Amino acid sequence: MYVCVCRAVTEKHIESAVNAGARRLRDLRTQLGVTEECGRCAKCAKQCLEDAVGQQCAPDTHPTCGPVSFQLQEAA
């Protein structure tokens, strides 16, 4: 689906940007140009960004993004 018609940005473009390190709407603006023209895509682009980040770091799909546990050792 097209997210930004002005710049022809799709959900797949946003997913690729997330895989390349995008984490904020500002990152998408820099990498893809979303919200630079009319700005109507901002809400949808932000939602797609959050969904893609959530998918990338879901514990069942990417175990290293799950909760971190520490094992404490007693002092000697």
Side-chain angles (χ1 to χ4, degrees):
M1 169 180 84
Y2 278 94
V3 175
C4 176
V5 176
C6 297
R7 299 288 182 151
V9 176
T10 66
E11 288 175 289
K12 294 292 182 188
H13 290 119
I14 292 175
E15 289 172 12
S16 294
V18 167
N19 290 334
R23 292 295 178 269
R24 300 176 300 173
L25 191 57
R26 182 180 303 172
D27 299 331
L28 294 183
R29 187 179 309 123
T30 301
Q31 292 180 25
L32 303 173
V34 297
T35 73
E36 287 184 344
E37 296 291 324
C38 72
R40 291 182 183 170
C41 62
K43 185 176 179 180
C44 185
K46 184 169 174 45
Q47 184 62 53
C48 290
L49 173 69
E50 290 171 359
D51 291 347
V53 169
Q55 277 289 354
Q56 187 180 50
C57 289
D60 60 333
T61 59
H62 198 285
T64 60
C65 291
V68 177
S69 61
F70 295 97
Q71 188 173 16
L72 297 176
Q73 296 179 347
E74 290 184 27

